[in-house]
């Protein structure tokens, strides 16, 4: 994009045509072919999520989350009850086609004034990892942000040491922007935070890529992808 100059010869940003502020996300159902995302409901999803997360026998999926792991189901449900009541982060449960609760994700750090929002607190159980469910869940959230809410920027942040998270974000189309050193502390340890993002002008091409990958023709009889994302 061509550089703009003001009357004093200084470079300035381009005019923003997006109508700001943008709406905040709502507790709506996001429905796809392989999964759906619904507002977290502890009564409906708590036991299922506990069971799904318990399939992770090593507890490795909790390492880079600010909470957990939980040894008792009641402690986990206490966390979920607080999550259900939260507006930011706003929690969604991922349901597979059988209606099983297999993971959760959130919108957080909402900035409607600037049209910026983050996806985070992503906890995908072994039941959905490396399946179309995990990719489609992220696609549905992106589509809602860019098409349903009209946001300008979609962020992904994680511990800079969490290489799988960074790789997953890049696969999904996020651009790595850098590391904020000593950004936060969690579980008594330092976190340098990696920042990645997708912009609204990048969404149309990404959407086409997602839809090609998610098409049923892209998977063989055993559910293996024919072409990568």
């Amino acid at each position: 994009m061509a550089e703009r100059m003001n009357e004093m010869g200084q470079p300035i940003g381009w005019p923003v045509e997006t109508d700001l502020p943008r709406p905040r996300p709502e507790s709506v159902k996001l429905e796809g072919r392989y999964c759906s995302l619904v507002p977290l409901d502890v009564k409906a999803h708590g036991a299922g999520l506990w069971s799904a997360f318990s399939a992770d026998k090593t507890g490795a999926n909790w390492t880079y989350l600010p909470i957990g792991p939980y040894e008792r189901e009641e402690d986990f449900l206490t966390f979920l009850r607080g999550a259900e009541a939260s507006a930011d982060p706003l929690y969604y449960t991922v349901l597979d086609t059988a209606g099983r609760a297999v993971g959760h994700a959130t919108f957080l750090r909402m900035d409607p004034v600037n049209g910026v929002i983050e996806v985070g607190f992503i906890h995908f159980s072994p039941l959905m990892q490396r399946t179309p469910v995990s990719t489609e869940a992220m696609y549905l959230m992106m589509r809602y942000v860019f098409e349903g809410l009209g946001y300008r920027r979609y962020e992904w942040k994680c511990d800079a040491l969490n290489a799988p998270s960074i790789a997953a974000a890049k696969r999904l189309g996020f651009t790595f922007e850098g590391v904020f050193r000593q950004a936060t502390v969690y579980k008594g340890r330092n976190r340098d935070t990696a920042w990645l993002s997708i912009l609204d002008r990048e969404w149309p091409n990404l959407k086409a890529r997602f839809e090609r990958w998610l098409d049923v023709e892209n998977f063989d009889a055993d559910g293996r992808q024919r072409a990568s994302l």
Side-chain angles (χ1 to χ4, degrees):
M1 189 170 293
E3 187 176 81
R4 295 177 70 236
M5 309 293 286
N6 67 12
E7 63 276 9
M8 294 170 287
Q10 298 166 310
I12 58 174
W14 64 85
V16 174
E17 298 178 355
T18 304
D19 185 19
L20 297 171
R22 301 310 306 157
R24 297 176 69 86
E26 299 179 358
S27 296
V28 296
K29 183 177 183 179
L30 308 176
E31 193 157 11
R33 177 179 290 122
Y34 305 101
C35 70
S36 60
L37 288 91
V38 298
L40 173 63
D41 181 329
V42 178
K43 289 183 179 178
H45 310 142
L49 287 173
W50 173 254
S51 177
F53 294 151
S54 295
D56 169 23
K57 301 302 182 183
T58 66
N61 290 346
W62 296 95
T63 298
Y64 298 108
L65 291 171
I67 43 83
Y70 296 97
E71 295 183 1
R72 301 191 313 152
E73 183 176 2
E74 183 51 43
D75 294 334
F76 173 67
L77 294 178
T78 297
F79 153 69
L80 282 188
R81 283 188 281 270
E84 181 181 6
S86 171
D88 186 354
L90 181 63
Y91 277 79
Y92 293 84
T93 301
V94 182
L95 304 177
D96 65 13
T97 54
R100 297 182 302 171
V102 293
H104 66 60
T106 78
F107 293 124
L108 72 158
R109 298 186 183 275
M110 304 169 195
D111 183 1
V113 171
N114 292 297
V116 178
I117 196 167
E118 180 180 343
V119 61
F121 285 99
I122 300 167
H123 192 171
F124 289 170
S125 77
L127 302 181
M128 62 182 294
Q129 292 171 359
R130 295 182 176 84
T131 73
V133 173
S134 59
T135 298
E136 187 176 55
M138 293 291 93
Y139 161 73
L140 292 172
M141 294 182 77
M142 285 186 209
R143 188 177 68 180
Y144 180 48
V145 163
F146 288 119
E147 298 183 10
L149 301 174
Y151 275 65
R152 304 176 62 238
R153 173 180 167 90
Y154 191 50
E155 297 180 334
W156 178 299
K157 302 186 187 81
C158 63
D159 192 313
L161 297 175
N162 189 353
S165 180
I166 294 173
K170 289 180 176 179
R171 173 182 174 271
L172 293 169
F174 286 83
T175 296
F176 178 74
E177 296 178 328
V179 173
F180 280 32
R181 300 177 300 163
Q182 293 187 190
T184 61
V185 176
Y186 73 119
K187 294 181 175 177
R189 62 183 189 248
N190 175 67
R191 186 176 108 161
D192 295 350
T193 297
W195 284 55
L196 304 96
S197 72
I198 295 173
L199 305 182
D200 52 358
R201 64 178 180 268
E202 298 165 341
W203 170 241
N205 287 336
L206 288 176
K207 179 183 180 181
R209 283 173 46 193
F210 277 112
E211 293 185 347
R212 284 194 299 270
W213 190 85
L214 291 166
D215 190 281
V216 292
E217 296 299 322
N218 191 42
F219 298 93
D220 64 20
D222 295 320
R224 292 188 294 263
Q225 66 178 9
R226 302 182 192 276
S228 65
L229 183 62

